PDB file of all heavy atoms in Angstrom:
ATOM      1  N   PRO A 448       6.448   3.198 -15.420  1.00 96.00           N
ATOM      2  CA  PRO A 448       5.449   2.077 -15.581  1.00 96.00           C
ATOM      3  C   PRO A 448       5.607   1.392 -17.037  1.00 96.00           C
ATOM      4  O   PRO A 448       5.833   2.081 -18.024  1.00 96.00           O
ATOM      5  CB  PRO A 448       4.161   2.786 -15.509  1.00 96.00           C
ATOM      6  CG  PRO A 448       4.382   4.213 -15.683  1.00 96.00           C
ATOM      7  CD  PRO A 448       5.713   4.511 -15.225  1.00 96.00           C
ATOM      8  N   GLN A 449       5.645   0.116 -17.063  1.00 97.00           N
ATOM      9  CA  GLN A 449       5.985  -0.688 -18.254  1.00 97.00           C
ATOM     10  C   GLN A 449       4.756  -1.310 -18.905  1.00 97.00           C
ATOM     11  O   GLN A 449       4.849  -1.810 -20.056  1.00 97.00           O
ATOM     12  CB  GLN A 449       6.943  -1.792 -17.923  1.00 97.00           C
ATOM     13  CG  GLN A 449       8.209  -1.373 -17.192  1.00 97.00           C
ATOM     14  CD  GLN A 449       9.145  -0.594 -18.206  1.00 97.00           C
ATOM     15  OE1 GLN A 449       9.290  -0.977 -19.293  1.00 97.00           O
ATOM     16  NE2 GLN A 449       9.717   0.428 -17.707  1.00 97.00           N
ATOM     17  N   HIS A 450       3.618  -1.371 -18.135  1.00 97.00           N
ATOM     18  CA  HIS A 450       2.508  -2.250 -18.581  1.00 97.00           C
ATOM     19  C   HIS A 450       1.159  -1.425 -18.537  1.00 97.00           C
ATOM     20  O   HIS A 450       0.284  -1.747 -17.743  1.00 97.00           O
ATOM     21  CB  HIS A 450       2.425  -3.434 -17.780  1.00 97.00           C
ATOM     22  CG  HIS A 450       3.678  -4.215 -17.571  1.00 97.00           C
ATOM     23  ND1 HIS A 450       4.240  -5.029 -18.578  1.00 97.00           N
ATOM     24  CD2 HIS A 450       4.545  -4.163 -16.546  1.00 97.00           C
ATOM     25  CE1 HIS A 450       5.355  -5.488 -18.159  1.00 97.00           C
ATOM     26  NE2 HIS A 450       5.527  -5.025 -16.909  1.00 97.00           N
ATOM     27  N   THR A 451       1.144  -0.290 -19.214  1.00 96.00           N
ATOM     28  CA  THR A 451      -0.004   0.638 -19.085  1.00 96.00           C
ATOM     29  C   THR A 451      -1.191   0.329 -20.035  1.00 96.00           C
ATOM     30  O   THR A 451      -2.180   0.913 -19.997  1.00 96.00           O
ATOM     31  CB  THR A 451       0.468   2.069 -19.331  1.00 96.00           C
ATOM     32  OG1 THR A 451       1.131   2.023 -20.556  1.00 96.00           O
ATOM     33  CG2 THR A 451       1.414   2.537 -18.322  1.00 96.00           C
ATOM     34  N   ASP A 452      -1.029  -0.621 -20.936  1.00 97.00           N
ATOM     35  CA  ASP A 452      -2.050  -0.953 -21.937  1.00 97.00           C
ATOM     36  C   ASP A 452      -3.054  -1.730 -21.307  1.00 97.00           C
ATOM     37  O   ASP A 452      -2.810  -2.886 -20.665  1.00 97.00           O
ATOM     38  CB  ASP A 452      -1.387  -1.644 -23.104  1.00 97.00           C
ATOM     39  CG  ASP A 452      -2.441  -2.052 -24.100  1.00 97.00           C
ATOM     40  OD1 ASP A 452      -3.135  -1.206 -24.667  1.00 97.00           O
ATOM     41  OD2 ASP A 452      -2.601  -3.283 -24.426  1.00 97.00           O
ATOM     42  N   LEU A 453      -4.365  -1.440 -21.319  1.00 98.00           N
ATOM     43  CA  LEU A 453      -5.439  -2.138 -20.583  1.00 98.00           C
ATOM     44  C   LEU A 453      -5.473  -3.548 -21.027  1.00 98.00           C
ATOM     45  O   LEU A 453      -5.741  -4.429 -20.304  1.00 98.00           O
ATOM     46  CB  LEU A 453      -6.851  -1.355 -20.831  1.00 98.00           C
ATOM     47  CG  LEU A 453      -7.978  -2.055 -20.142  1.00 98.00           C
ATOM     48  CD1 LEU A 453      -7.764  -2.081 -18.600  1.00 98.00           C
ATOM     49  CD2 LEU A 453      -9.270  -1.297 -20.492  1.00 98.00           C
ATOM     50  N   ASP A 454      -5.373  -3.764 -22.403  1.00 98.00           N
ATOM     51  CA  ASP A 454      -5.480  -5.154 -22.929  1.00 98.00           C
ATOM     52  C   ASP A 454      -4.463  -6.003 -22.304  1.00 98.00           C
ATOM     53  O   ASP A 454      -4.610  -7.192 -21.973  1.00 98.00           O
ATOM     54  CB  ASP A 454      -5.485  -5.177 -24.433  1.00 98.00           C
ATOM     55  CG  ASP A 454      -6.798  -4.803 -25.041  1.00 98.00           C
ATOM     56  OD1 ASP A 454      -7.555  -3.985 -24.342  1.00 98.00           O
ATOM     57  OD2 ASP A 454      -7.143  -5.029 -26.220  1.00 98.00           O
ATOM     58  N   GLU A 455      -3.235  -5.466 -22.121  1.00 98.00           N
ATOM     59  CA  GLU A 455      -2.133  -6.272 -21.564  1.00 98.00           C
ATOM     60  C   GLU A 455      -2.389  -6.560 -20.044  1.00 98.00           C
ATOM     61  O   GLU A 455      -2.185  -7.726 -19.554  1.00 98.00           O
ATOM     62  CB  GLU A 455      -0.803  -5.449 -21.680  1.00 98.00           C
ATOM     63  CG  GLU A 455       0.421  -6.270 -21.054  1.00 98.00           C
ATOM     64  CD  GLU A 455       1.714  -5.514 -21.112  1.00 98.00           C
ATOM     65  OE1 GLU A 455       1.776  -4.395 -21.693  1.00 98.00           O
ATOM     66  OE2 GLU A 455       2.623  -5.993 -20.476  1.00 98.00           O
ATOM     67  N   ILE A 456      -2.989  -5.589 -19.393  1.00 98.00           N
ATOM     68  CA  ILE A 456      -3.307  -5.817 -17.932  1.00 98.00           C
ATOM     69  C   ILE A 456      -4.371  -6.886 -17.814  1.00 98.00           C
ATOM     70  O   ILE A 456      -4.146  -7.883 -17.034  1.00 98.00           O
ATOM     71  CB  ILE A 456      -3.847  -4.442 -17.305  1.00 98.00           C
ATOM     72  CG1 ILE A 456      -2.712  -3.355 -17.280  1.00 98.00           C
ATOM     73  CG2 ILE A 456      -4.409  -4.692 -15.976  1.00 98.00           C
ATOM     74  CD1 ILE A 456      -3.131  -1.980 -16.850  1.00 98.00           C
ATOM     75  N   VAL A 457      -5.442  -6.752 -18.704  1.00 98.00           N
ATOM     76  CA  VAL A 457      -6.466  -7.833 -18.644  1.00 98.00           C
ATOM     77  C   VAL A 457      -5.903  -9.129 -19.042  1.00 98.00           C
ATOM     78  O   VAL A 457      -6.223 -10.251 -18.489  1.00 98.00           O
ATOM     79  CB  VAL A 457      -7.680  -7.361 -19.569  1.00 98.00           C
ATOM     80  CG1 VAL A 457      -8.680  -8.478 -19.783  1.00 98.00           C
ATOM     81  CG2 VAL A 457      -8.332  -6.088 -18.976  1.00 98.00           C
ATOM     82  N   SER A 458      -5.071  -9.170 -20.077  1.00 98.00           N
ATOM     83  CA  SER A 458      -4.538 -10.427 -20.594  1.00 98.00           C
ATOM     84  C   SER A 458      -3.723 -11.146 -19.481  1.00 98.00           C
ATOM     85  O   SER A 458      -3.800 -12.373 -19.275  1.00 98.00           O
ATOM     86  CB  SER A 458      -3.570 -10.076 -21.749  1.00 98.00           C
ATOM     87  OG  SER A 458      -3.033 -11.167 -22.211  1.00 98.00           O
ATOM     88  N   ASP A 459      -2.907 -10.382 -18.682  1.00 98.00           N
ATOM     89  CA  ASP A 459      -2.204 -11.038 -17.547  1.00 98.00           C
ATOM     90  C   ASP A 459      -3.085 -11.580 -16.481  1.00 98.00           C
ATOM     91  O   ASP A 459      -2.911 -12.658 -15.920  1.00 98.00           O
ATOM     92  CB  ASP A 459      -1.153 -10.024 -16.939  1.00 98.00           C
ATOM     93  CG  ASP A 459       0.001  -9.769 -17.907  1.00 98.00           C
ATOM     94  OD1 ASP A 459       0.159 -10.477 -18.913  1.00 98.00           O
ATOM     95  OD2 ASP A 459       0.860  -8.948 -17.547  1.00 98.00           O
TER      96      ASP A 459
END
Side-chain angles (χ1 to χ4, degrees):
Q449 305 288 318
H450 313 281
T451 54
D452 178 60
L453 181 62
D454 285 20
E455 182 184 351
I456 295 173
V457 168
S458 176
D459 285 355

